[in-house]
Amino acid sequence: MLRARGAVEQEPTDYLDAIFLALRRFGDELAAARGWLGRIDTTASPTWRLSFLAKACAARDAAERHFGELCRRFAELGPRPPPPLDRVARRLGAMAADLAALGERVAAH
């Protein structure tokens, strides 16, 4: 699968690590899906386009799972996460919008 440069592949060791790992994986998968969609736009072969679309869908689904993990973890922290996690929590809406926009791009292909 196409991965963002320097993608982290490790298991979390504590709660904070799990949050930041899910955040990094979300970003990696979002970037990967965008990369696959970009390849669709530059490829004429229907076979390759279909293959790239499948990979984009898989990366988008993985991004959605990691976003769900983030939302669950932040919900467990309550309505006011401690600093600096409060800054990340404020970005969850924008992250959801990015994921929705990516879903629309995938559906358009």
Side-chain angles (χ1 to χ4, degrees), residues 66-97:
H66 295 303
F67 182 69
E69 174 71 15
L70 276 172
C71 290
R72 280 188 298 281
R73 298 235 179 227
F74 275 98
E76 291 171 3
L77 291 174
R80 297 184 62 184
L85 295 178
D86 59 336
R87 295 174 68 197
V88 177
R90 286 193 299 267
R91 297 272 309 138
L92 291 177
M95 293 165 67

Side-chain angles (χ1 to χ4, degrees), residues 23-58:
L23 184 60
R24 283 189 301 267
R25 286 182 174 171
F26 169 79
D28 288 347
E29 295 296 347
L30 207 65
R34 289 177 177 149
W36 288 116
L37 289 173
R39 292 183 76 176
I40 290 171
D41 296 338
T42 61
T43 302
S45 168
T47 303
W48 282 109
R49 290 173 62 89
L50 189 57
S51 175
F52 296 155
L53 181 59
K55 291 180 185 292
C57 287

